[in-house]
Amino acid sequence: MKKLHEQDVTFDFVTYRKFTLIVNRTRLSVFLTLIFLVGYLLAAMTSGNTSWLLNILGGLAFMFLFFAFYTVMIKRTYTSNEAMQNLAVHYNFFDTYVEQTSSLGKTRFDYTDIYKIVEDKTAIYLLVGRQQGLVIPKKTADEPFNNFIRNINK
């Protein structure tokens, strides 16, 4: 089969953190909302007759502390997995599948296995599982490549 495109990626901490936040976006939003509500209620219960604004600030502070803790946990996970640190990955894109090659081995994903495509300013994420996916940096000068990635499972 003829190779259509190829791309190289290095999984540094920034890439890992962004991917983790992308795949956990919905759950994290729900959880942060619950954390805010708990913080709001705790502030309301302990503050007596203070204003609702202070209660909201208490909820926001509680939510911020949880997110800071979550970010520390992402960093700890990344630094504890030496095999993933600055891992160089090469992608080869074909008509019906993509090959991912790194020092850890070679993997093939059929485009039909991709259940969700998420895009931000710098990358396109091809999700093949709830916690598994491919990070494809956008090529700023190559819009046909970016469109190919966006439409990969259509």
Side-chain angles (χ1 to χ4, degrees):
M1 205 170 267
K2 183 182 173 208
K3 182 173 28 174
L4 302 175
H5 298 280
E6 60 184 315
Q7 175 78 298
D8 290 306
V9 181
T10 300
F11 282 95
D12 57 4
F13 174 69
V14 173
T15 305
Y16 179 80
R17 181 180 181 274
K18 286 178 75 174
F19 178 76
T20 302
L21 292 173
I22 288 287
V23 298
N24 293 311
R25 180 171 48 189
T26 302
R27 282 174 279 167
L28 188 59
S29 297
V30 169
F31 199 67
L32 284 175
T33 301
L34 291 174
I35 291 291
F36 169 76
L37 291 174
V38 167
Y40 177 84
L41 291 174
L42 284 174
M45 289 175 14
T46 60
S47 64
N49 290 334
T50 59
S51 73
W52 59 270
L53 181 61
L54 288 176
N55 296 339
I56 289 176
L57 290 175
L60 289 174
F62 205 61
M63 189 173 71
F64 176 76
L65 286 173
F66 172 78
F67 189 75
F69 173 75
Y70 184 71
T71 303
V72 168
M73 293 306 296
I74 292 172
K75 179 75 171 178
R76 185 174 293 162
T77 301
Y78 178 78
T79 56
S80 70
N81 188 349
E82 291 182 18
M84 287 296 293
Q85 293 174 18
N86 296 311
L87 180 67
V89 176
H90 181 78
Y91 296 118
N92 287 317
F93 296 92
F94 297 91
D95 288 333
T96 59
Y97 65 94
V98 58
E99 282 181 349
Q100 174 183 334
T101 307
S102 72
S103 61
L104 301 176
K106 190 174 195 176
T107 309
R108 174 182 161 160
F109 296 101
D110 291 331
Y111 296 146
T112 56
D113 294 336
I114 297 169
Y115 84 94
K116 189 174 186 180
I117 298 176
V118 179
E119 183 173 355
D120 68 11
K121 289 184 262 182
T122 60
I124 302 171
Y125 305 87
L126 307 177
L127 304 181
V128 295
R130 288 183 60 171
Q131 297 290 319
Q132 183 179 10
L134 310 171
V135 180
I136 314 297
K138 289 182 183 176
K139 292 184 175 181
T140 55
D142 193 355
E143 197 56 31
F145 172 77
N146 295 337
N147 286 330
F148 169 78
I149 299 299
R150 286 182 192 110
N151 298 304
I152 213 160
N153 66 348
K154 291 183 180 177

